Amino acid sequence: MRDAAEALGAKFQAWQAAAFDETRCPVRNLLDRIGDRWSTLLLANLASGPQRFSALARAVPDISKRMLTQTLRTLETDGFVHRDVQPTVPPSVTYSLTPLGRSFATPLLGLVEWAEANFADVCAARARMAEAA
């Protein structure tokens, strides 16, 4: 059985064969959308349950309301997030993960745990490079 690095290298070669065409490369296409600065934070926050817009804004305080709106729309368009509008005055809007969004929690948790376990090593490598420059 191949190790993960070899398997990943083989996947990369398949992407090369597709000429990195984002319409035929699911990894490039999806990572362009969910690999931005805000999507993973919002998906991780919504993993704990439905949230209103204002709660999401408080949970990620350095995101602008415009960017929050744009990111939520993108996640909704891609099927990760459901937007529920209640006919109240003013309208009450709640965001939650769809089944597709919930299925992304497992690989996202793996990435988060890897980042937590390796953050100090990455910071040390950055410091070594800064010293060498």
Tab-separated table of all heavy atoms in Angstrom, residues 24-84:
chain	number	residue	atom	x	y	z
A	24	ARG	N	-12.515	20.551	-14.878
A	24	ARG	CA	-12.353	19.097	-14.832
A	24	ARG	C	-11.571	18.633	-13.606
A	24	ARG	O	-11.434	17.447	-13.386
A	24	ARG	CB	-11.653	18.603	-16.098
A	24	ARG	CG	-12.482	18.825	-17.338
A	24	ARG	CD	-11.820	18.254	-18.550
A	24	ARG	NE	-10.465	18.806	-18.693
A	24	ARG	CZ	-9.574	18.369	-19.559
A	24	ARG	NH1	-9.853	17.383	-20.354
A	24	ARG	NH2	-8.384	18.929	-19.646
A	25	CYS	N	-11.053	19.545	-12.836
A	25	CYS	CA	-10.261	19.195	-11.656
A	25	CYS	C	-11.063	19.551	-10.405
A	25	CYS	O	-11.115	20.715	-10.011
A	25	CYS	CB	-8.930	19.947	-11.657
A	25	CYS	SG	-7.910	19.566	-10.214
A	26	PRO	N	-11.694	18.573	-9.778
A	26	PRO	CA	-12.532	18.888	-8.623
A	26	PRO	C	-11.762	19.494	-7.458
A	26	PRO	O	-12.285	20.352	-6.745
A	26	PRO	CB	-13.140	17.541	-8.235
A	26	PRO	CG	-12.293	16.512	-8.868
A	26	PRO	CD	-11.662	17.140	-10.067
A	27	VAL	N	-10.513	19.096	-7.282
A	27	VAL	CA	-9.747	19.626	-6.163
A	27	VAL	C	-9.473	21.114	-6.357
A	27	VAL	O	-9.715	21.925	-5.464
A	27	VAL	CB	-8.443	18.828	-5.968
A	27	VAL	CG1	-7.570	19.455	-4.898
A	27	VAL	CG2	-8.772	17.389	-5.620
A	28	ARG	N	-8.979	21.480	-7.516
A	28	ARG	CA	-8.694	22.895	-7.763
A	28	ARG	C	-9.979	23.720	-7.679
A	28	ARG	O	-10.014	24.775	-7.053
A	28	ARG	CB	-8.056	23.077	-9.131
A	28	ARG	CG	-7.789	24.526	-9.433
A	28	ARG	CD	-7.084	24.712	-10.733
A	28	ARG	NE	-7.025	26.135	-11.015
A	28	ARG	CZ	-6.655	26.632	-12.158
A	28	ARG	NH1	-6.292	25.851	-13.129
A	28	ARG	NH2	-6.635	27.932	-12.345
A	29	ASN	N	-11.025	23.221	-8.301
A	29	ASN	CA	-12.289	23.938	-8.319
A	29	ASN	C	-12.812	24.181	-6.907
A	29	ASN	O	-13.178	25.303	-6.551
A	29	ASN	CB	-13.312	23.162	-9.152
A	29	ASN	CG	-14.603	23.895	-9.320
A	29	ASN	OD1	-15.367	24.006	-8.372
A	29	ASN	ND2	-14.847	24.399	-10.513
A	30	LEU	N	-12.846	23.143	-6.082
A	30	LEU	CA	-13.395	23.294	-4.731
A	30	LEU	C	-12.451	24.024	-3.789
A	30	LEU	O	-12.904	24.828	-2.975
A	30	LEU	CB	-13.777	21.933	-4.164
A	30	LEU	CG	-14.959	21.271	-4.858
A	30	LEU	CD1	-15.226	19.899	-4.277
A	30	LEU	CD2	-16.201	22.139	-4.766
A	31	LEU	N	-11.136	23.767	-3.904
A	31	LEU	CA	-10.211	24.466	-3.010
A	31	LEU	C	-10.179	25.962	-3.285
A	31	LEU	O	-9.955	26.753	-2.366
A	31	LEU	CB	-8.812	23.872	-3.099
A	31	LEU	CG	-8.625	22.527	-2.418
A	31	LEU	CD1	-7.187	22.055	-2.553
A	31	LEU	CD2	-9.033	22.580	-0.959
A	32	ASP	N	-10.413	26.349	-4.528
A	32	ASP	CA	-10.515	27.782	-4.824
A	32	ASP	C	-11.665	28.408	-4.040
A	32	ASP	O	-11.604	29.578	-3.667
A	32	ASP	CB	-10.734	28.016	-6.320
A	32	ASP	CG	-9.463	27.885	-7.140
A	32	ASP	OD1	-8.371	27.812	-6.536
A	32	ASP	OD2	-9.563	27.853	-8.374
A	33	ARG	N	-12.713	27.656	-3.811
A	33	ARG	CA	-13.896	28.185	-3.133
A	33	ARG	C	-13.824	28.048	-1.613
A	33	ARG	O	-14.154	28.977	-0.892
A	33	ARG	CB	-15.147	27.475	-3.641
A	33	ARG	CG	-15.407	27.646	-5.128
A	33	ARG	CD	-15.706	29.094	-5.515
A	33	ARG	NE	-17.022	29.524	-5.183
A	33	ARG	CZ	-18.041	29.564	-6.007
A	33	ARG	NH1	-17.897	29.182	-7.251
A	33	ARG	NH2	-19.215	29.994	-5.595
A	34	ILE	N	-13.411	26.891	-1.114
A	34	ILE	CA	-13.425	26.681	0.340
A	34	ILE	C	-12.086	26.972	0.994
A	34	ILE	O	-11.991	26.983	2.213
A	34	ILE	CB	-13.874	25.246	0.703
A	34	ILE	CG1	-12.953	24.223	0.067
A	34	ILE	CG2	-15.323	25.030	0.348
A	34	ILE	CD1	-13.216	22.813	0.477
A	35	GLY	N	-11.060	27.219	0.192
A	35	GLY	CA	-9.742	27.484	0.741
A	35	GLY	C	-9.460	28.959	0.950
A	35	GLY	O	-8.319	29.337	1.196
A	36	ASP	N	-10.482	29.784	0.888
A	36	ASP	CA	-10.249	31.212	1.090
A	36	ASP	C	-10.082	31.520	2.579
A	36	ASP	O	-10.130	30.632	3.427
A	36	ASP	CB	-11.367	32.044	0.443
A	36	ASP	CG	-12.725	31.829	1.089
A	36	ASP	OD1	-12.789	31.430	2.268
A	36	ASP	OD2	-13.739	32.074	0.421
A	37	ARG	N	-9.935	32.763	2.874
A	37	ARG	CA	-9.640	33.185	4.244
A	37	ARG	C	-10.778	32.924	5.223
A	37	ARG	O	-10.547	32.673	6.396
A	37	ARG	CB	-9.313	34.682	4.216
A	37	ARG	CG	-8.917	35.237	5.539
A	37	ARG	CD	-8.473	36.668	5.398
A	37	ARG	NE	-8.061	37.188	6.686
A	37	ARG	CZ	-7.662	38.413	6.883
A	37	ARG	NH1	-7.604	39.252	5.874
A	37	ARG	NH2	-7.306	38.821	8.069
A	38	TRP	N	-12.037	32.958	4.750
A	38	TRP	CA	-13.172	32.945	5.671
A	38	TRP	C	-14.012	31.675	5.655
A	38	TRP	O	-14.641	31.344	6.657
A	38	TRP	CB	-14.083	34.140	5.374
A	38	TRP	CG	-13.353	35.437	5.389
A	38	TRP	CD1	-13.110	36.250	4.323
A	38	TRP	CD2	-12.739	36.073	6.513
A	38	TRP	NE1	-12.382	37.346	4.711
A	38	TRP	CE2	-12.146	37.266	6.052
A	38	TRP	CE3	-12.631	35.747	7.856
A	38	TRP	CZ2	-11.463	38.126	6.897
A	38	TRP	CZ3	-11.949	36.602	8.694
A	38	TRP	CH2	-11.375	37.779	8.211
A	39	SER	N	-14.069	30.977	4.550
A	39	SER	CA	-14.992	29.846	4.421
A	39	SER	C	-14.781	28.778	5.484
A	39	SER	O	-15.741	28.305	6.092
A	39	SER	CB	-14.891	29.214	3.035
A	39	SER	OG	-15.364	30.101	2.059
A	40	THR	N	-13.533	28.390	5.716
A	40	THR	CA	-13.294	27.325	6.687
A	40	THR	C	-13.679	27.757	8.101
A	40	THR	O	-14.211	26.957	8.867
A	40	THR	CB	-11.834	26.845	6.655
A	40	THR	OG1	-10.968	27.962	6.811
A	40	THR	CG2	-11.526	26.130	5.359
A	41	LEU	N	-13.447	29.031	8.433
A	41	LEU	CA	-13.843	29.513	9.757
A	41	LEU	C	-15.358	29.489	9.919
A	41	LEU	O	-15.877	29.086	10.961
A	41	LEU	CB	-13.322	30.935	9.985
A	41	LEU	CG	-11.817	31.095	10.130
A	41	LEU	CD1	-11.451	32.566	10.227
A	41	LEU	CD2	-11.310	30.331	11.335
A	42	LEU	N	-16.071	29.908	8.881
A	42	LEU	CA	-17.530	29.918	8.951
A	42	LEU	C	-18.090	28.499	8.988
A	42	LEU	O	-19.018	28.211	9.766
A	42	LEU	CB	-18.123	30.707	7.786
A	42	LEU	CG	-17.812	32.199	7.812
A	42	LEU	CD1	-18.302	32.870	6.535
A	42	LEU	CD2	-18.418	32.860	9.046
A	43	LEU	N	-17.523	27.603	8.191
A	43	LEU	CA	-17.975	26.209	8.219
A	43	LEU	C	-17.709	25.573	9.582
A	43	LEU	O	-18.554	24.853	10.112
A	43	LEU	CB	-17.308	25.408	7.103
A	43	LEU	CG	-17.764	25.753	5.688
A	43	LEU	CD1	-16.848	25.106	4.657
A	43	LEU	CD2	-19.209	25.351	5.456
A	44	ALA	N	-16.545	25.849	10.153
A	44	ALA	CA	-16.231	25.307	11.479
A	44	ALA	C	-17.193	25.850	12.524
A	44	ALA	O	-17.657	25.111	13.403
A	44	ALA	CB	-14.788	25.640	11.854
A	45	ASN	N	-17.526	27.122	12.429
A	45	ASN	CA	-18.465	27.722	13.381
A	45	ASN	C	-19.858	27.120	13.217
A	45	ASN	O	-20.518	26.795	14.207
A	45	ASN	CB	-18.495	29.234	13.196
A	45	ASN	CG	-19.303	29.930	14.269
A	45	ASN	OD1	-19.476	29.418	15.369
A	45	ASN	ND2	-19.787	31.100	13.946
A	46	LEU	N	-20.305	26.957	11.997
A	46	LEU	CA	-21.638	26.392	11.752
A	46	LEU	C	-21.714	24.912	12.114
A	46	LEU	O	-22.816	24.377	12.272
A	46	LEU	CB	-22.047	26.613	10.300
A	46	LEU	CG	-22.406	28.049	9.945
A	46	LEU	CD1	-22.547	28.212	8.434
A	46	LEU	CD2	-23.680	28.475	10.663
A	47	ALA	N	-20.588	24.249	12.266
A	47	ALA	CA	-20.586	22.833	12.657
A	47	ALA	C	-21.195	22.646	14.049
A	47	ALA	O	-21.706	21.574	14.355
A	47	ALA	CB	-19.172	22.266	12.606
A	48	SER	N	-21.179	23.691	14.861
A	48	SER	CA	-21.759	23.579	16.201
A	48	SER	C	-23.266	23.789	16.203
A	48	SER	O	-23.911	23.591	17.225
A	48	SER	CB	-21.093	24.576	17.153
A	48	SER	OG	-21.343	25.896	16.725
A	49	GLY	N	-23.823	24.196	15.062
A	49	GLY	CA	-25.267	24.359	14.964
A	49	GLY	C	-25.640	25.615	14.210
A	49	GLY	O	-24.788	26.442	13.877
A	50	PRO	N	-26.939	25.758	13.908
A	50	PRO	CA	-27.414	26.928	13.159
A	50	PRO	C	-27.068	28.233	13.864
A	50	PRO	O	-27.034	28.297	15.092
A	50	PRO	CB	-28.926	26.718	13.100
A	50	PRO	CG	-29.131	25.269	13.329
A	50	PRO	CD	-28.015	24.838	14.238
A	51	GLN	N	-26.800	29.248	13.048
A	51	GLN	CA	-26.420	30.559	13.587
A	51	GLN	C	-27.095	31.660	12.777
A	51	GLN	O	-27.268	31.523	11.569
A	51	GLN	CB	-24.908	30.755	13.465
A	51	GLN	CG	-24.077	29.695	14.082
A	51	GLN	CD	-23.563	30.092	15.436
A	51	GLN	OE1	-23.523	31.268	15.778
A	51	GLN	NE2	-23.173	29.117	16.211
A	52	ARG	N	-27.407	32.742	13.451
A	52	ARG	CA	-27.885	33.926	12.752
A	52	ARG	C	-26.680	34.728	12.260
A	52	ARG	O	-25.560	34.553	12.732
A	52	ARG	CB	-28.761	34.755	13.683
A	52	ARG	CG	-30.024	33.950	14.032
A	52	ARG	CD	-31.085	34.723	14.662
A	52	ARG	NE	-31.474	35.859	13.830
A	52	ARG	CZ	-32.318	36.777	14.232
A	52	ARG	NH1	-32.866	36.712	15.411
A	52	ARG	NH2	-32.627	37.791	13.456
A	53	PHE	N	-26.936	35.608	11.312
A	53	PHE	CA	-25.886	36.418	10.696
A	53	PHE	C	-25.082	37.159	11.761
A	53	PHE	O	-23.849	37.152	11.739
A	53	PHE	CB	-26.518	37.408	9.708
A	53	PHE	CG	-25.515	38.215	8.942
A	53	PHE	CD1	-25.035	37.766	7.727
A	53	PHE	CD2	-25.060	39.433	9.428
A	53	PHE	CE1	-24.113	38.516	7.008
A	53	PHE	CE2	-24.142	40.193	8.721
A	53	PHE	CZ	-23.668	39.727	7.506
A	54	SER	N	-25.765	37.784	12.699
A	54	SER	CA	-25.074	38.580	13.725
A	54	SER	C	-24.184	37.699	14.603
A	54	SER	O	-23.103	38.122	15.011
A	54	SER	CB	-26.077	39.357	14.577
A	54	SER	OG	-27.004	38.467	15.170
A	55	ALA	N	-24.608	36.480	14.883
A	55	ALA	CA	-23.777	35.570	15.680
A	55	ALA	C	-22.528	35.171	14.899
A	55	ALA	O	-21.437	35.063	15.475
A	55	ALA	CB	-24.582	34.333	16.075
A	56	LEU	N	-22.680	34.947	13.607
A	56	LEU	CA	-21.515	34.627	12.772
A	56	LEU	C	-20.555	35.809	12.726
A	56	LEU	O	-19.335	35.632	12.789
A	56	LEU	CB	-21.961	34.241	11.364
A	56	LEU	CG	-22.678	32.899	11.243
A	56	LEU	CD1	-23.337	32.768	9.873
A	56	LEU	CD2	-21.721	31.751	11.501
A	57	ALA	N	-21.093	37.006	12.630
A	57	ALA	CA	-20.254	38.203	12.601
A	57	ALA	C	-19.482	38.364	13.911
A	57	ALA	O	-18.304	38.737	13.903
A	57	ALA	CB	-21.101	39.434	12.319
A	58	ARG	N	-20.119	38.057	15.032
A	58	ARG	CA	-19.438	38.145	16.330
A	58	ARG	C	-18.390	37.040	16.480
A	58	ARG	O	-17.342	37.252	17.092
A	58	ARG	CB	-20.442	38.059	17.484
A	58	ARG	CG	-21.234	39.320	17.712
A	58	ARG	CD	-22.025	39.269	19.012
A	58	ARG	NE	-22.954	38.157	19.087
A	58	ARG	CZ	-24.192	38.160	18.586
A	58	ARG	NH1	-24.640	39.231	17.969
A	58	ARG	NH2	-24.964	37.104	18.704
A	59	ALA	N	-18.671	35.874	15.928
A	59	ALA	CA	-17.745	34.745	16.058
A	59	ALA	C	-16.449	34.971	15.282
A	59	ALA	O	-15.395	34.465	15.672
A	59	ALA	CB	-18.423	33.461	15.580
A	60	VAL	N	-16.533	35.710	14.193
A	60	VAL	CA	-15.356	36.018	13.365
A	60	VAL	C	-15.279	37.547	13.278
A	60	VAL	O	-15.655	38.140	12.274
A	60	VAL	CB	-15.474	35.373	11.964
A	60	VAL	CG1	-14.197	35.586	11.166
A	60	VAL	CG2	-15.805	33.883	12.070
A	61	PRO	N	-14.787	38.192	14.344
A	61	PRO	CA	-14.906	39.657	14.437
A	61	PRO	C	-14.136	40.445	13.396
A	61	PRO	O	-14.477	41.599	13.135
A	61	PRO	CB	-14.395	39.968	15.847
A	61	PRO	CG	-13.577	38.791	16.239
A	61	PRO	CD	-14.128	37.612	15.503
A	62	ASP	N	-13.119	39.866	12.755
A	62	ASP	CA	-12.354	40.637	11.780
A	62	ASP	C	-12.882	40.499	10.355
A	62	ASP	O	-12.287	41.035	9.424
A	62	ASP	CB	-10.863	40.298	11.839
A	62	ASP	CG	-10.575	38.808	11.769
A	62	ASP	OD1	-11.476	38.004	12.061
A	62	ASP	OD2	-9.439	38.447	11.440
A	63	ILE	N	-14.029	39.851	10.164
A	63	ILE	CA	-14.645	39.768	8.847
A	63	ILE	C	-15.634	40.931	8.698
A	63	ILE	O	-16.374	41.240	9.625
A	63	ILE	CB	-15.351	38.405	8.623
A	63	ILE	CG1	-15.784	38.236	7.161
A	63	ILE	CG2	-16.531	38.229	9.554
A	63	ILE	CD1	-16.287	36.834	6.816
A	64	SER	N	-15.608	41.580	7.553
A	64	SER	CA	-16.552	42.668	7.317
A	64	SER	C	-17.927	42.076	7.010
A	64	SER	O	-18.042	40.923	6.580
A	64	SER	CB	-16.088	43.535	6.146
A	64	SER	OG	-16.190	42.810	4.927
A	65	LYS	N	-18.966	42.859	7.216
A	65	LYS	CA	-20.315	42.386	6.917
A	65	LYS	C	-20.462	42.058	5.430
A	65	LYS	O	-21.111	41.088	5.060
A	65	LYS	CB	-21.352	43.408	7.360
A	65	LYS	CG	-21.450	43.530	8.867
A	65	LYS	CD	-22.611	44.372	9.284
A	65	LYS	CE	-22.666	44.675	10.754
A	65	LYS	NZ	-22.398	43.632	11.680
A	66	ARG	N	-19.830	42.843	4.593
A	66	ARG	CA	-19.875	42.587	3.148
A	66	ARG	C	-19.226	41.248	2.803
A	66	ARG	O	-19.763	40.453	2.041
A	66	ARG	CB	-19.179	43.725	2.402
A	66	ARG	CG	-19.163	43.549	0.896
A	66	ARG	CD	-18.500	44.773	0.241
A	66	ARG	NE	-18.431	44.615	-1.187
A	66	ARG	CZ	-17.392	44.092	-1.842
A	66	ARG	NH1	-16.328	43.695	-1.161
A	66	ARG	NH2	-17.408	43.980	-3.146
A	67	MET	N	-18.057	40.991	3.380
A	67	MET	CA	-17.358	39.737	3.104
A	67	MET	C	-18.099	38.551	3.713
A	67	MET	O	-18.137	37.466	3.117
A	67	MET	CB	-15.921	39.795	3.627
A	67	MET	CG	-15.091	38.601	3.239
A	67	MET	SD	-15.039	38.213	1.473
A	67	MET	CE	-14.258	39.651	0.812
A	68	LEU	N	-18.694	38.741	4.884
A	68	LEU	CA	-19.496	37.684	5.497
A	68	LEU	C	-20.663	37.324	4.594
A	68	LEU	O	-20.921	36.147	4.314
A	68	LEU	CB	-19.981	38.111	6.884
A	68	LEU	CG	-20.896	37.139	7.617
A	68	LEU	CD1	-20.247	35.766	7.782
A	68	LEU	CD2	-21.287	37.719	8.974
A	69	THR	N	-21.360	38.322	4.092
A	69	THR	CA	-22.480	38.095	3.185
A	69	THR	C	-22.019	37.372	1.927
A	69	THR	O	-22.629	36.383	1.502
A	69	THR	CB	-23.143	39.440	2.802
A	69	THR	OG1	-23.637	40.054	3.999
A	69	THR	CG2	-24.278	39.242	1.817
A	70	GLN	N	-20.945	37.842	1.336
A	70	GLN	CA	-20.418	37.248	0.105
A	70	GLN	C	-19.992	35.798	0.329
A	70	GLN	O	-20.295	34.918	-0.479
A	70	GLN	CB	-19.242	38.076	-0.401
A	70	GLN	CG	-18.651	37.596	-1.696
A	70	GLN	CD	-17.519	38.515	-2.153
A	70	GLN	OE1	-17.450	39.688	-1.785
A	70	GLN	NE2	-16.625	37.976	-2.949
A	71	THR	N	-19.307	35.530	1.424
A	71	THR	CA	-18.836	34.169	1.706
A	71	THR	C	-20.007	33.239	1.969
A	71	THR	O	-20.031	32.100	1.480
A	71	THR	CB	-17.858	34.175	2.894
A	71	THR	OG1	-16.789	35.084	2.614
A	71	THR	CG2	-17.298	32.789	3.147
A	72	LEU	N	-20.997	33.693	2.723
A	72	LEU	CA	-22.177	32.864	2.973
A	72	LEU	C	-22.923	32.562	1.678
A	72	LEU	O	-23.386	31.439	1.471
A	72	LEU	CB	-23.106	33.541	3.988
A	72	LEU	CG	-22.600	33.536	5.433
A	72	LEU	CD1	-23.441	34.473	6.284
A	72	LEU	CD2	-22.600	32.120	6.001
A	73	ARG	N	-23.014	33.536	0.796
A	73	ARG	CA	-23.673	33.302	-0.504
A	73	ARG	C	-22.913	32.259	-1.324
A	73	ARG	O	-23.519	31.398	-1.959
A	73	ARG	CB	-23.786	34.602	-1.291
A	73	ARG	CG	-24.877	35.497	-0.790
A	73	ARG	CD	-25.013	36.729	-1.649
A	73	ARG	NE	-26.001	37.631	-1.076
A	73	ARG	CZ	-26.000	38.925	-1.227
A	73	ARG	NH1	-25.064	39.516	-1.969
A	73	ARG	NH2	-26.930	39.665	-0.676
A	74	THR	N	-21.602	32.346	-1.322
A	74	THR	CA	-20.791	31.373	-2.051
A	74	THR	C	-20.977	29.973	-1.463
A	74	THR	O	-21.161	28.997	-2.206
A	74	THR	CB	-19.305	31.770	-2.016
A	74	THR	OG1	-19.155	33.041	-2.650
A	74	THR	CG2	-18.434	30.748	-2.717
A	75	LEU	N	-20.942	29.876	-0.141
A	75	LEU	CA	-21.127	28.577	0.502
A	75	LEU	C	-22.532	28.030	0.252
A	75	LEU	O	-22.707	26.818	0.097
A	75	LEU	CB	-20.848	28.685	2.005
A	75	LEU	CG	-19.386	28.935	2.385
A	75	LEU	CD1	-19.264	29.265	3.857
A	75	LEU	CD2	-18.517	27.745	2.014
A	76	GLU	N	-23.512	28.918	0.175
A	76	GLU	CA	-24.870	28.494	-0.145
A	76	GLU	C	-24.950	28.025	-1.604
A	76	GLU	O	-25.545	26.987	-1.903
A	76	GLU	CB	-25.846	29.641	0.104
A	76	GLU	CG	-27.292	29.274	-0.136
A	76	GLU	CD	-28.257	30.430	0.079
A	76	GLU	OE1	-27.815	31.596	0.188
A	76	GLU	OE2	-29.463	30.160	0.118
A	77	THR	N	-24.346	28.778	-2.510
A	77	THR	CA	-24.335	28.417	-3.932
A	77	THR	C	-23.707	27.048	-4.146
A	77	THR	O	-24.186	26.254	-4.962
A	77	THR	CB	-23.561	29.475	-4.746
A	77	THR	OG1	-24.235	30.727	-4.618
A	77	THR	CG2	-23.465	29.101	-6.209
A	78	ASP	N	-22.637	26.764	-3.403
A	78	ASP	CA	-21.929	25.492	-3.548
A	78	ASP	C	-22.588	24.351	-2.769
A	78	ASP	O	-22.106	23.219	-2.826
A	78	ASP	CB	-20.474	25.648	-3.116
A	78	ASP	CG	-19.650	26.434	-4.128
A	78	ASP	OD1	-20.136	26.671	-5.250
A	78	ASP	OD2	-18.514	26.814	-3.782
A	79	GLY	N	-23.641	24.645	-2.037
A	79	GLY	CA	-24.391	23.597	-1.350
A	79	GLY	C	-23.896	23.236	0.034
A	79	GLY	O	-24.351	22.256	0.613
A	80	PHE	N	-22.981	24.028	0.606
A	80	PHE	CA	-22.465	23.743	1.944
A	80	PHE	C	-23.357	24.306	3.046
A	80	PHE	O	-23.380	23.774	4.156
A	80	PHE	CB	-21.058	24.343	2.121
A	80	PHE	CG	-20.000	23.619	1.358
A	80	PHE	CD1	-19.598	24.065	0.110
A	80	PHE	CD2	-19.386	22.503	1.885
A	80	PHE	CE1	-18.611	23.407	-0.597
A	80	PHE	CE2	-18.390	21.832	1.188
A	80	PHE	CZ	-18.013	22.285	-0.066
A	81	VAL	N	-24.039	25.401	2.753
A	81	VAL	CA	-24.803	26.132	3.765
A	81	VAL	C	-26.238	26.319	3.283
A	81	VAL	O	-26.488	26.564	2.102
A	81	VAL	CB	-24.135	27.513	4.037
A	81	VAL	CG1	-25.008	28.413	4.881
A	81	VAL	CG2	-22.781	27.313	4.703
A	82	HIS	N	-27.163	26.201	4.243
A	82	HIS	CA	-28.574	26.469	3.970
A	82	HIS	C	-28.941	27.785	4.644
A	82	HIS	O	-28.584	28.034	5.799
A	82	HIS	CB	-29.455	25.346	4.519
A	82	HIS	CG	-30.914	25.646	4.422
A	82	HIS	ND1	-31.587	25.664	3.215
A	82	HIS	CD2	-31.823	25.956	5.372
A	82	HIS	CE1	-32.853	25.977	3.445
A	82	HIS	NE2	-33.021	26.154	4.731
A	83	ARG	N	-29.649	28.619	3.919
A	83	ARG	CA	-30.120	29.916	4.437
A	83	ARG	C	-31.619	29.806	4.642
A	83	ARG	O	-32.379	29.589	3.699
A	83	ARG	CB	-29.806	31.013	3.418
A	83	ARG	CG	-30.196	32.393	3.850
A	83	ARG	CD	-29.718	33.400	2.784
A	83	ARG	NE	-30.021	34.743	3.166
A	83	ARG	CZ	-31.064	35.439	2.734
A	83	ARG	NH1	-31.910	34.899	1.869
A	83	ARG	NH2	-31.274	36.668	3.146
A	84	ASP	N	-32.049	29.951	5.886
A	84	ASP	CA	-33.463	29.832	6.231
A	84	ASP	C	-33.996	31.207	6.639
A	84	ASP	O	-33.528	31.785	7.620
A	84	ASP	CB	-33.649	28.837	7.377
A	84	ASP	CG	-35.092	28.632	7.752
A	84	ASP	OD1	-35.944	28.576	6.843
A	84	ASP	OD2	-35.370	28.528	8.958
